[in-house]
């Protein structure tokens, strides 16, 4: 067995160990590298900046708890940005598993920071089944789709919802998604009701949404934890995404090194065997 | 009768929703569409309940028979009911009920479910690294192109990689954004989306016309 055959057949546990170390090292020895801002992230920031102060906006938590590492920094960033502009925030989710609870956690934490009051400055509508029906139905009446908020309080008892009937009173939508629900926000809410919106998506989903950015349906886009880190920098908030960039950098570099090594092992090992014959 | 009525309902509801596109929201058809949408969210709620009933029946049967893995089924049931029951009880009885901050549901979600789901997802990084090492081979021209593109995008999407790319002349990160993400990727995504939308429209038409009946459990 040649050296390259041994390289190709390396035990997977060594690879797991290397990945584990690459995740840990940046937290023990943090190193800062410049994070550049992509045009899509800058466009998103500018679009939120352009929202009139004090207007009512929606932040949509369409992600599962499993992708919170990528999506939650975006949600936190959105709350920073809107609360700084004194905007009123309505949150909702099309994800039954966790969406409403994550919206609850993020909004309550951020409200404490900015001294905002539930029912007056922000409301969590929670989850309702059937995203196409929900998005379409809210175009006519939000209260007919969500008669109560996430805790079961009737919307009529929440002062923020007094003046909100449908999308006409919503100045802006910030969709955070780890799945294809963002398609429906673009094709139903933006296309049919012309509500300006932006999207933050996991790195896996983001490539799909470039089409909506190019079409002008999403005014900006954040892709994965890197996108969230760009947004944190634009907001002058060094949050979880900027911290996570070190681990993500090293793991990406490790995977690239492994792909190169694996290919070297495959081709040089094959050449060695052919020569031997 | 068991076929005709569901097909008729599918046809009528489909036609109303499609027709409503050309009518104002406050028109009769618009109002009918809104009513159907509300019905859909209510019926959808019952399908979630059906899921709970189904998992309870299947798991309870396994526990009674003491079949392989019955302990896991017991844990599943415990998880389902420990989260579901306190969350549907009225918070006016106790702050531990409901889904608000500080409730049992909230506690279980934040300190058990969320870390467990994040952990499961995080283990993917280990499997992807191992799979990339073993399977990502430049055997063909297409595979080589994919490999080079993936490597460049992976480098670009992290600060250290971008720093490395910037050591070369020609603003590579900007070129990647312009020609890969907003070029090739954009064209492919649009193609896929248009194809999927046409497929969905065709499938909807088949359901409305009663050609597609698999949703009724028939071929």
């Amino acid at each position: 067995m040649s050296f390259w055959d041994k390289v190709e057949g390396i035990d997977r546990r060594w690879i797991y160990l290397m990945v584990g170390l690459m995740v840990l090292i940046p937290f023990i020895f943090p190193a800062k590298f410049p994070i550049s801002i992509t045009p899509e992230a800058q466009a998103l920031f500018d679009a939120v900046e352009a929202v009139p102060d004090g207007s009512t906006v929606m932040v949509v938590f369409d992600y599962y708890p499993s992708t919170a590492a990528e999506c939650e920094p975006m949600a936190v960033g959105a709350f920073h940005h809107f609360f700084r502009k004194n905007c009123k925030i309505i949150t909702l989710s099309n994800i039954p598993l966790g969406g409403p609870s994550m919206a609850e956690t993020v909004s309550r934490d951020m409200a404490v920071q900015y001294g905002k009051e539930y029912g007056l400055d922000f409301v969590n509508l929670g989850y309702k089944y059937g995203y196409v029906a929900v998005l379409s139905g809210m175009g006519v009446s939000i209260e007919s789709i969500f008669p109560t908020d996430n805790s079961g309080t009737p919307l009529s008892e929440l002062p923020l919802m007094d003046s909100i009937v449908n999308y006409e009173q919503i100045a802006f939508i910030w969709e955070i998604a780890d799945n294809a629900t963002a398609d429906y926000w673009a094709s139903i809410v933006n296309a049919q009701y012309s509500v300006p919106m932006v999207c933050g998506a996991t790195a896996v989903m983001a490539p799909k949404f470039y089409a909506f950015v190019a079409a002008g349906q999403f005014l900006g886009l954040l892709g994965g934890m890197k996108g969230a880190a760009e947004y944190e920098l634009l907001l002058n908030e060094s949050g979880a995404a900027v911290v996570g960039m070190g681990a993500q950098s090293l793991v990406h570099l490790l995977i690239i090194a492994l792909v190169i090594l694996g290919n070297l092992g495959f081709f040089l090992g094959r050449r060695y065997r052919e020569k031997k014959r | 009768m068991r076929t005709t009525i569901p097909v008729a309902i599918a046809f009528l509801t489909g036609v109303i929703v499609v027709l409503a596109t050309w009518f104002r929201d406050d028109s009769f058809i618009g109002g009918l569409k809104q009513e159907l949408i509300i019905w859909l969210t209510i019926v959808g709620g019952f399908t979630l309940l059906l899921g709970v009933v189904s998992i309870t029946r299947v798991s309870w049967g396994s526990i009674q028979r003491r079949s392989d893995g019955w302990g896991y089924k017991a844990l599943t049931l415990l998880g389902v009911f420990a989260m579901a029951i306190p969350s549907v009880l009225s918070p006016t009885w106790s702050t531990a009920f409901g889904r608000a901050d500080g409730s049992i549901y909230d506690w279980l979600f934040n300190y058990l479910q969320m870390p467990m789901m994040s952990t499961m997802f995080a283990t993917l990084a280990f499997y992807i690294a191992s799979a990339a090492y073993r399977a990502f081979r430049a055997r063909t021209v297409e595979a080589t192109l994919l490999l080079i593109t993936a490597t460049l995008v992976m480098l670009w999407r992290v600060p250290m990689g971008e720093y490395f790319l910037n050591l070369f002349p020609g603003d590579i990160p900007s070129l990647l954004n312009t020609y890969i993400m907003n070029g090739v990727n954009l064209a492919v995504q649009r193609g896929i989306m248009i194809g999927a939308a046409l497929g969905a429209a065709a499938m909807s038409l088949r359901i409305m016309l009663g050609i597609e009946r698999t949703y009724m459990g028939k071929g």
Side-chain angles (χ1 to χ4, degrees), chain A residues 7 10 36 40 97 101 129 133 137 144 150 207 211 223 252 258 263, chain B residues 34 37 44 99 105 113 133-134 136 138 154 157 162 182 185-186:
Chain A
V7 166
I10 190 170
S36 66
E40 290 77 18
L97 194 61
S101 299
Y129 173 86
S144 69
N150 189 47
H252 273 214
L258 286 172
N263 275 282
Chain B
Q34 184 69 5
I37 280 172
R99 295 179 299 277
Y105 172 87
Q113 192 176 5
Y133 182 65
R134 283 167 216 293
F136 213 2
M154 278 180 72
R157 292 304 295 170
E162 197 172 13
N182 282 297
N185 167 64
L186 190 74

PDB file of all heavy atoms in Angstrom, chain A residues 7 10 36 40 97 101 129 133 137 144 150 207 211 223 252 258 263, chain B residues 34 37 44 99 105 113 133-134 136 138 154 157 162 182 185-186:
ATOM      1  N   VAL A   7      -3.383   7.684   2.632  1.00  0.00           N
ATOM      2  CA  VAL A   7      -4.041   8.988   2.774  1.00  0.00           C
ATOM      3  C   VAL A   7      -5.515   8.856   2.405  1.00  0.00           C
ATOM      4  O   VAL A   7      -6.395   9.368   3.091  1.00  0.00           O
ATOM      5  CB  VAL A   7      -3.342  10.048   1.875  1.00  0.00           C
ATOM      6  CG1 VAL A   7      -4.203  11.308   1.736  1.00  0.00           C
ATOM      7  CG2 VAL A   7      -1.994  10.408   2.458  1.00  0.00           C
ATOM      8  N   ILE A  10      -7.836   7.128   5.118  1.00  0.00           N
ATOM      9  CA  ILE A  10      -7.735   7.640   6.502  1.00  0.00           C
ATOM     10  C   ILE A  10      -9.047   7.398   7.272  1.00  0.00           C
ATOM     11  O   ILE A  10     -10.137   7.519   6.700  1.00  0.00           O
ATOM     12  CB  ILE A  10      -7.367   9.151   6.480  1.00  0.00           C
ATOM     13  CG1 ILE A  10      -7.024   9.649   7.882  1.00  0.00           C
ATOM     14  CG2 ILE A  10      -8.475   9.974   5.899  1.00  0.00           C
ATOM     15  CD1 ILE A  10      -6.419  11.066   7.877  1.00  0.00           C
ATOM     16  N   SER A  36     -15.822  41.518   4.530  1.00  0.00           N
ATOM     17  CA  SER A  36     -16.275  42.487   3.516  1.00  0.00           C
ATOM     18  C   SER A  36     -17.800  42.456   3.417  1.00  0.00           C
ATOM     19  O   SER A  36     -18.432  41.457   3.771  1.00  0.00           O
ATOM     20  CB  SER A  36     -15.664  42.153   2.162  1.00  0.00           C
ATOM     21  OG  SER A  36     -16.166  40.925   1.735  1.00  0.00           O
ATOM     22  N   GLU A  40     -25.484  42.693  -1.743  1.00  0.00           N
ATOM     23  CA  GLU A  40     -26.827  42.278  -1.308  1.00  0.00           C
ATOM     24  C   GLU A  40     -27.079  42.659   0.152  1.00  0.00           C
ATOM     25  O   GLU A  40     -28.175  43.101   0.508  1.00  0.00           O
ATOM     26  CB  GLU A  40     -27.000  40.756  -1.485  1.00  0.00           C
ATOM     27  CG  GLU A  40     -27.070  40.274  -2.925  1.00  0.00           C
ATOM     28  CD  GLU A  40     -25.725  40.228  -3.628  1.00  0.00           C
ATOM     29  OE1 GLU A  40     -24.678  40.241  -2.927  1.00  0.00           O
ATOM     30  OE2 GLU A  40     -25.691  40.189  -4.870  1.00  0.00           O
ATOM     31  N   LEU A  97     -42.745  24.137  14.274  1.00  0.00           N
ATOM     32  CA  LEU A  97     -41.763  23.644  15.237  1.00  0.00           C
ATOM     33  C   LEU A  97     -40.797  24.756  15.645  1.00  0.00           C
ATOM     34  O   LEU A  97     -39.740  24.923  15.066  1.00  0.00           O
ATOM     35  CB  LEU A  97     -40.983  22.472  14.616  1.00  0.00           C
ATOM     36  CG  LEU A  97     -40.166  21.635  15.577  1.00  0.00           C
ATOM     37  CD1 LEU A  97     -41.033  20.983  16.617  1.00  0.00           C
ATOM     38  CD2 LEU A  97     -39.390  20.579  14.824  1.00  0.00           C
ATOM     39  N   SER A 101     -41.916  30.251  19.275  1.00  0.00           N
ATOM     40  CA  SER A 101     -41.143  30.332  20.519  1.00  0.00           C
ATOM     41  C   SER A 101     -39.869  31.137  20.317  1.00  0.00           C
ATOM     42  O   SER A 101     -39.451  31.898  21.194  1.00  0.00           O
ATOM     43  CB  SER A 101     -40.772  28.932  21.010  1.00  0.00           C
ATOM     44  OG  SER A 101     -41.940  28.219  21.268  1.00  0.00           O
ATOM     45  N   TYR A 129     -51.479  27.270  10.588  1.00  0.00           N
ATOM     46  CA  TYR A 129     -51.235  26.264   9.551  1.00  0.00           C
ATOM     47  C   TYR A 129     -51.514  26.798   8.136  1.00  0.00           C
ATOM     48  O   TYR A 129     -52.461  27.539   7.930  1.00  0.00           O
ATOM     49  CB  TYR A 129     -52.116  25.037   9.802  1.00  0.00           C
ATOM     50  CG  TYR A 129     -52.052  24.022   8.690  1.00  0.00           C
ATOM     51  CD1 TYR A 129     -51.058  23.057   8.666  1.00  0.00           C
ATOM     52  CD2 TYR A 129     -52.953  24.070   7.634  1.00  0.00           C
ATOM     53  CE1 TYR A 129     -50.963  22.153   7.631  1.00  0.00           C
ATOM     54  CE2 TYR A 129     -52.874  23.158   6.591  1.00  0.00           C
ATOM     55  CZ  TYR A 129     -51.882  22.204   6.598  1.00  0.00           C
ATOM     56  OH  TYR A 129     -51.791  21.320   5.569  1.00  0.00           O
ATOM     57  N   ALA A 133     -52.257  29.907   2.396  1.00  0.00           N
ATOM     58  CA  ALA A 133     -53.535  30.471   2.849  1.00  0.00           C
ATOM     59  C   ALA A 133     -53.303  31.627   3.822  1.00  0.00           C
ATOM     60  O   ALA A 133     -53.974  32.656   3.747  1.00  0.00           O
ATOM     61  CB  ALA A 133     -54.366  29.381   3.521  1.00  0.00           C
ATOM     62  N   GLY A 137     -54.457  35.212   2.982  1.00  0.00           N
ATOM     63  CA  GLY A 137     -55.559  35.684   3.833  1.00  0.00           C
ATOM     64  C   GLY A 137     -55.231  36.970   4.558  1.00  0.00           C
ATOM     65  O   GLY A 137     -56.099  37.821   4.750  1.00  0.00           O
ATOM     66  N   SER A 144     -58.576  38.004  10.755  1.00  0.00           N
ATOM     67  CA  SER A 144     -59.358  36.813  10.406  1.00  0.00           C
ATOM     68  C   SER A 144     -58.472  35.568  10.389  1.00  0.00           C
ATOM     69  O   SER A 144     -58.941  34.457  10.585  1.00  0.00           O
ATOM     70  CB  SER A 144     -60.038  36.999   9.044  1.00  0.00           C
ATOM     71  OG  SER A 144     -59.078  37.014   8.024  1.00  0.00           O
ATOM     72  N   ASN A 150     -49.815  34.897  20.035  1.00  0.00           N
ATOM     73  CA  ASN A 150     -49.214  33.606  20.401  1.00  0.00           C
ATOM     74  C   ASN A 150     -49.644  33.117  21.789  1.00  0.00           C
ATOM     75  O   ASN A 150     -49.681  31.929  22.045  1.00  0.00           O
ATOM     76  CB  ASN A 150     -47.684  33.732  20.351  1.00  0.00           C
ATOM     77  CG  ASN A 150     -46.992  32.400  20.493  1.00  0.00           C
ATOM     78  OD1 ASN A 150     -47.358  31.428  19.844  1.00  0.00           O
ATOM     79  ND2 ASN A 150     -45.988  32.336  21.352  1.00  0.00           N
ATOM     80  N   PRO A 207     -28.628  30.886  -2.237  1.00  0.00           N
ATOM     81  CA  PRO A 207     -28.442  30.964  -3.704  1.00  0.00           C
ATOM     82  C   PRO A 207     -29.753  31.046  -4.479  1.00  0.00           C
ATOM     83  O   PRO A 207     -29.846  31.736  -5.492  1.00  0.00           O
ATOM     84  CB  PRO A 207     -27.686  29.669  -4.032  1.00  0.00           C
ATOM     85  CG  PRO A 207     -26.950  29.352  -2.780  1.00  0.00           C
ATOM     86  CD  PRO A 207     -27.848  29.781  -1.653  1.00  0.00           C
ATOM     87  N   ALA A 211     -32.352  35.141  -7.232  1.00  0.00           N
ATOM     88  CA  ALA A 211     -33.279  35.429  -8.346  1.00  0.00           C
ATOM     89  C   ALA A 211     -34.289  36.493  -7.927  1.00  0.00           C
ATOM     90  O   ALA A 211     -34.652  37.364  -8.725  1.00  0.00           O
ATOM     91  CB  ALA A 211     -33.998  34.151  -8.751  1.00  0.00           C
ATOM     92  N   GLY A 223     -26.986  36.008   3.314  1.00  0.00           N
ATOM     93  CA  GLY A 223     -26.798  34.567   3.109  1.00  0.00           C
ATOM     94  C   GLY A 223     -25.990  33.952   4.227  1.00  0.00           C
ATOM     95  O   GLY A 223     -24.804  34.231   4.371  1.00  0.00           O
ATOM     96  N   HIS A 252     -14.379  25.617   6.881  1.00  0.00           N
ATOM     97  CA  HIS A 252     -14.395  25.696   5.414  1.00  0.00           C
ATOM     98  C   HIS A 252     -13.007  25.376   4.851  1.00  0.00           C
ATOM     99  O   HIS A 252     -12.879  24.606   3.902  1.00  0.00           O
ATOM    100  CB  HIS A 252     -14.798  27.116   4.967  1.00  0.00           C
ATOM    101  CG  HIS A 252     -16.278  27.305   4.866  1.00  0.00           C
ATOM    102  ND1 HIS A 252     -16.861  28.109   3.920  1.00  0.00           N
ATOM    103  CD2 HIS A 252     -17.301  26.799   5.576  1.00  0.00           C
ATOM    104  CE1 HIS A 252     -18.168  28.094   4.074  1.00  0.00           C
ATOM    105  NE2 HIS A 252     -18.461  27.307   5.077  1.00  0.00           N
ATOM    106  N   LEU A 258      -9.244  18.977   2.788  1.00  0.00           N
ATOM    107  CA  LEU A 258      -9.579  17.551   2.721  1.00  0.00           C
ATOM    108  C   LEU A 258      -9.968  17.146   1.294  1.00  0.00           C
ATOM    109  O   LEU A 258      -9.604  16.061   0.833  1.00  0.00           O
ATOM    110  CB  LEU A 258     -10.732  17.222   3.684  1.00  0.00           C
ATOM    111  CG  LEU A 258     -10.371  17.205   5.179  1.00  0.00           C
ATOM    112  CD1 LEU A 258     -11.628  17.056   6.026  1.00  0.00           C
ATOM    113  CD2 LEU A 258      -9.397  16.075   5.493  1.00  0.00           C
ATOM    114  N   ASN A 263      -8.477  14.100  -3.354  1.00  0.00           N
ATOM    115  CA  ASN A 263      -8.262  13.977  -4.799  1.00  0.00           C
ATOM    116  C   ASN A 263      -6.826  13.583  -5.117  1.00  0.00           C
ATOM    117  O   ASN A 263      -6.584  12.773  -6.014  1.00  0.00           O
ATOM    118  CB  ASN A 263      -8.630  15.293  -5.500  1.00  0.00           C
ATOM    119  CG  ASN A 263     -10.120  15.363  -5.795  1.00  0.00           C
ATOM    120  OD1 ASN A 263     -10.595  14.759  -6.745  1.00  0.00           O
ATOM    121  ND2 ASN A 263     -10.852  16.060  -4.947  1.00  0.00           N
TER     122      ASN A 263
ATOM    123  N   GLN B  34     -61.697  34.285   0.882  1.00  0.00           N
ATOM    124  CA  GLN B  34     -61.190  34.526   2.236  1.00  0.00           C
ATOM    125  C   GLN B  34     -61.782  33.498   3.201  1.00  0.00           C
ATOM    126  O   GLN B  34     -61.095  32.974   4.071  1.00  0.00           O
ATOM    127  CB  GLN B  34     -61.546  35.956   2.669  1.00  0.00           C
ATOM    128  CG  GLN B  34     -60.990  36.371   4.009  1.00  0.00           C
ATOM    129  CD  GLN B  34     -59.464  36.520   4.000  1.00  0.00           C
ATOM    130  OE1 GLN B  34     -58.833  36.406   2.951  1.00  0.00           O
ATOM    131  NE2 GLN B  34     -58.885  36.725   5.159  1.00  0.00           N
ATOM    132  N   ILE B  37     -60.058  30.241   2.759  1.00  0.00           N
ATOM    133  CA  ILE B  37     -58.713  30.298   3.351  1.00  0.00           C
ATOM    134  C   ILE B  37     -58.794  30.071   4.866  1.00  0.00           C
ATOM    135  O   ILE B  37     -57.987  29.334   5.444  1.00  0.00           O
ATOM    136  CB  ILE B  37     -58.055  31.649   3.002  1.00  0.00           C
ATOM    137  CG1 ILE B  37     -57.500  31.588   1.573  1.00  0.00           C
ATOM    138  CG2 ILE B  37     -56.940  32.006   3.976  1.00  0.00           C
ATOM    139  CD1 ILE B  37     -57.012  32.910   1.047  1.00  0.00           C
ATOM    140  N   GLY B  44     -56.448  22.495   8.576  1.00  0.00           N
ATOM    141  CA  GLY B  44     -55.012  22.217   8.778  1.00  0.00           C
ATOM    142  C   GLY B  44     -54.692  21.942  10.231  1.00  0.00           C
ATOM    143  O   GLY B  44     -53.881  21.072  10.538  1.00  0.00           O
ATOM    144  N   ARG B  99     -48.001  29.179  26.314  1.00  0.00           N
ATOM    145  CA  ARG B  99     -46.725  29.143  25.596  1.00  0.00           C
ATOM    146  C   ARG B  99     -45.889  30.399  25.836  1.00  0.00           C
ATOM    147  O   ARG B  99     -44.902  30.636  25.162  1.00  0.00           O
ATOM    148  CB  ARG B  99     -46.993  28.994  24.085  1.00  0.00           C
ATOM    149  CG  ARG B  99     -47.647  27.689  23.719  1.00  0.00           C
ATOM    150  CD  ARG B  99     -47.905  27.598  22.245  1.00  0.00           C
ATOM    151  NE  ARG B  99     -48.795  28.634  21.764  1.00  0.00           N
ATOM    152  CZ  ARG B  99     -50.137  28.580  21.824  1.00  0.00           C
ATOM    153  NH1 ARG B  99     -50.724  27.539  22.373  1.00  0.00           N
ATOM    154  NH2 ARG B  99     -50.872  29.560  21.332  1.00  0.00           N
ATOM    155  N   TYR B 105     -43.837  24.821  28.593  1.00  0.00           N
ATOM    156  CA  TYR B 105     -43.559  24.643  27.171  1.00  0.00           C
ATOM    157  C   TYR B 105     -42.312  25.444  26.765  1.00  0.00           C
ATOM    158  O   TYR B 105     -41.416  24.932  26.102  1.00  0.00           O
ATOM    159  CB  TYR B 105     -44.770  25.100  26.346  1.00  0.00           C
ATOM    160  CG  TYR B 105     -44.517  25.136  24.860  1.00  0.00           C
ATOM    161  CD1 TYR B 105     -44.699  24.007  24.077  1.00  0.00           C
ATOM    162  CD2 TYR B 105     -44.091  26.313  24.250  1.00  0.00           C
ATOM    163  CE1 TYR B 105     -44.454  24.043  22.726  1.00  0.00           C
ATOM    164  CE2 TYR B 105     -43.841  26.359  22.891  1.00  0.00           C
ATOM    165  CZ  TYR B 105     -44.030  25.223  22.128  1.00  0.00           C
ATOM    166  OH  TYR B 105     -43.771  25.264  20.791  1.00  0.00           O
ATOM    167  N   GLN B 113     -35.478  21.096  23.590  1.00  0.00           N
ATOM    168  CA  GLN B 113     -35.682  20.896  22.156  1.00  0.00           C
ATOM    169  C   GLN B 113     -34.681  21.670  21.295  1.00  0.00           C
ATOM    170  O   GLN B 113     -34.095  21.126  20.367  1.00  0.00           O
ATOM    171  CB  GLN B 113     -37.103  21.289  21.763  1.00  0.00           C
ATOM    172  CG  GLN B 113     -37.426  20.825  20.361  1.00  0.00           C
ATOM    173  CD  GLN B 113     -38.848  21.103  19.971  1.00  0.00           C
ATOM    174  OE1 GLN B 113     -39.602  21.730  20.694  1.00  0.00           O
ATOM    175  NE2 GLN B 113     -39.229  20.624  18.818  1.00  0.00           N
ATOM    176  N   TYR B 133     -14.325  14.447   1.777  1.00  0.00           N
ATOM    177  CA  TYR B 133     -13.003  13.820   1.638  1.00  0.00           C
ATOM    178  C   TYR B 133     -13.073  12.546   0.800  1.00  0.00           C
ATOM    179  O   TYR B 133     -12.192  12.272  -0.004  1.00  0.00           O
ATOM    180  CB  TYR B 133     -12.460  13.505   3.036  1.00  0.00           C
ATOM    181  CG  TYR B 133     -11.086  12.905   3.025  1.00  0.00           C
ATOM    182  CD1 TYR B 133     -10.005  13.646   2.561  1.00  0.00           C
ATOM    183  CD2 TYR B 133     -10.864  11.611   3.471  1.00  0.00           C
ATOM    184  CE1 TYR B 133      -8.740  13.113   2.544  1.00  0.00           C
ATOM    185  CE2 TYR B 133      -9.597  11.063   3.463  1.00  0.00           C
ATOM    186  CZ  TYR B 133      -8.536  11.819   3.000  1.00  0.00           C
ATOM    187  OH  TYR B 133      -7.276  11.287   2.971  1.00  0.00           O
ATOM    188  N   ARG B 134     -14.144  11.776   0.982  1.00  0.00           N
ATOM    189  CA  ARG B 134     -14.223  10.475   0.308  1.00  0.00           C
ATOM    190  C   ARG B 134     -14.903  10.515  -1.046  1.00  0.00           C
ATOM    191  O   ARG B 134     -14.580   9.719  -1.928  1.00  0.00           O
ATOM    192  CB  ARG B 134     -15.006   9.483   1.199  1.00  0.00           C
ATOM    193  CG  ARG B 134     -14.191   8.962   2.311  1.00  0.00           C
ATOM    194  CD  ARG B 134     -14.982   8.241   3.374  1.00  0.00           C
ATOM    195  NE  ARG B 134     -14.390   8.515   4.674  1.00  0.00           N
ATOM    196  CZ  ARG B 134     -13.199   8.098   5.049  1.00  0.00           C
ATOM    197  NH1 ARG B 134     -12.467   7.350   4.247  1.00  0.00           N
ATOM    198  NH2 ARG B 134     -12.711   8.403   6.231  1.00  0.00           N
ATOM    199  N   PHE B 136     -15.974  13.562  -3.015  1.00  0.00           N
ATOM    200  CA  PHE B 136     -15.891  14.716  -3.914  1.00  0.00           C
ATOM    201  C   PHE B 136     -14.658  14.583  -4.798  1.00  0.00           C
ATOM    202  O   PHE B 136     -13.611  15.154  -4.530  1.00  0.00           O
ATOM    203  CB  PHE B 136     -15.838  15.983  -3.074  1.00  0.00           C
ATOM    204  CG  PHE B 136     -16.503  17.169  -3.709  1.00  0.00           C
ATOM    205  CD1 PHE B 136     -17.133  17.076  -4.937  1.00  0.00           C
ATOM    206  CD2 PHE B 136     -16.511  18.399  -3.071  1.00  0.00           C
ATOM    207  CE1 PHE B 136     -17.745  18.176  -5.510  1.00  0.00           C
ATOM    208  CE2 PHE B 136     -17.118  19.499  -3.631  1.00  0.00           C
ATOM    209  CZ  PHE B 136     -17.738  19.378  -4.867  1.00  0.00           C
ATOM    210  N   ALA B 138     -12.677  14.644  -8.682  1.00  0.00           N
ATOM    211  CA  ALA B 138     -12.706  15.280 -10.012  1.00  0.00           C
ATOM    212  C   ALA B 138     -12.596  14.196 -11.090  1.00  0.00           C
ATOM    213  O   ALA B 138     -11.631  14.148 -11.853  1.00  0.00           O
ATOM    214  CB  ALA B 138     -11.576  16.288 -10.121  1.00  0.00           C
ATOM    215  N   MET B 154     -16.801  28.499  -1.338  1.00  0.00           N
ATOM    216  CA  MET B 154     -16.539  28.242   0.084  1.00  0.00           C
ATOM    217  C   MET B 154     -15.466  29.185   0.626  1.00  0.00           C
ATOM    218  O   MET B 154     -15.557  29.659   1.755  1.00  0.00           O
ATOM    219  CB  MET B 154     -16.102  26.794   0.293  1.00  0.00           C
ATOM    220  CG  MET B 154     -17.269  25.825   0.348  1.00  0.00           C
ATOM    221  SD  MET B 154     -16.730  24.158   0.598  1.00  0.00           S
ATOM    222  CE  MET B 154     -16.224  24.197   2.289  1.00  0.00           C
ATOM    223  N   ARG B 157     -17.004  32.768   0.977  1.00  0.00           N
ATOM    224  CA  ARG B 157     -18.029  32.989   1.989  1.00  0.00           C
ATOM    225  C   ARG B 157     -17.505  33.024   3.424  1.00  0.00           C
ATOM    226  O   ARG B 157     -18.301  33.048   4.356  1.00  0.00           O
ATOM    227  CB  ARG B 157     -19.132  31.917   1.877  1.00  0.00           C
ATOM    228  CG  ARG B 157     -19.972  32.017   0.628  1.00  0.00           C
ATOM    229  CD  ARG B 157     -20.617  33.349   0.453  1.00  0.00           C
ATOM    230  NE  ARG B 157     -21.596  33.655   1.494  1.00  0.00           N
ATOM    231  CZ  ARG B 157     -22.158  34.844   1.655  1.00  0.00           C
ATOM    232  NH1 ARG B 157     -21.839  35.843   0.869  1.00  0.00           N
ATOM    233  NH2 ARG B 157     -23.033  35.040   2.614  1.00  0.00           N
ATOM    234  N   GLU B 162     -11.687  34.732   2.066  1.00  0.00           N
ATOM    235  CA  GLU B 162     -11.757  35.967   1.279  1.00  0.00           C
ATOM    236  C   GLU B 162     -10.433  36.723   1.365  1.00  0.00           C
ATOM    237  O   GLU B 162      -9.961  37.289   0.366  1.00  0.00           O
ATOM    238  CB  GLU B 162     -12.904  36.827   1.810  1.00  0.00           C
ATOM    239  CG  GLU B 162     -13.312  37.887   0.822  1.00  0.00           C
ATOM    240  CD  GLU B 162     -14.559  38.624   1.253  1.00  0.00           C
ATOM    241  OE1 GLU B 162     -14.967  38.496   2.418  1.00  0.00           O
ATOM    242  OE2 GLU B 162     -15.105  39.339   0.418  1.00  0.00           O
ATOM    243  N   ASN B 182     -24.611  35.712  -9.111  1.00  0.00           N
ATOM    244  CA  ASN B 182     -25.589  36.489  -9.879  1.00  0.00           C
ATOM    245  C   ASN B 182     -25.557  36.160 -11.370  1.00  0.00           C
ATOM    246  O   ASN B 182     -26.197  36.851 -12.173  1.00  0.00           O
ATOM    247  CB  ASN B 182     -25.348  37.988  -9.671  1.00  0.00           C
ATOM    248  CG  ASN B 182     -25.900  38.457  -8.342  1.00  0.00           C
ATOM    249  OD1 ASN B 182     -27.100  38.393  -8.099  1.00  0.00           O
ATOM    250  ND2 ASN B 182     -25.022  38.893  -7.455  1.00  0.00           N
ATOM    251  N   ASN B 185     -25.573  30.797 -11.189  1.00  0.00           N
ATOM    252  CA  ASN B 185     -26.529  30.380 -10.151  1.00  0.00           C
ATOM    253  C   ASN B 185     -27.917  30.966 -10.400  1.00  0.00           C
ATOM    254  O   ASN B 185     -28.928  30.261 -10.343  1.00  0.00           O
ATOM    255  CB  ASN B 185     -25.997  30.827  -8.784  1.00  0.00           C
ATOM    256  CG  ASN B 185     -27.042  30.725  -7.694  1.00  0.00           C
ATOM    257  OD1 ASN B 185     -27.510  29.649  -7.373  1.00  0.00           O
ATOM    258  ND2 ASN B 185     -27.419  31.861  -7.144  1.00  0.00           N
ATOM    259  N   LEU B 186     -27.944  32.256 -10.729  1.00  0.00           N
ATOM    260  CA  LEU B 186     -29.218  32.944 -10.938  1.00  0.00           C
ATOM    261  C   LEU B 186     -30.014  32.315 -12.088  1.00  0.00           C
ATOM    262  O   LEU B 186     -31.214  32.044 -11.957  1.00  0.00           O
ATOM    263  CB  LEU B 186     -28.920  34.415 -11.242  1.00  0.00           C
ATOM    264  CG  LEU B 186     -30.093  35.364 -11.253  1.00  0.00           C
ATOM    265  CD1 LEU B 186     -30.553  35.618  -9.847  1.00  0.00           C
ATOM    266  CD2 LEU B 186     -29.683  36.688 -11.880  1.00  0.00           C
TER     267      LEU B 186
END
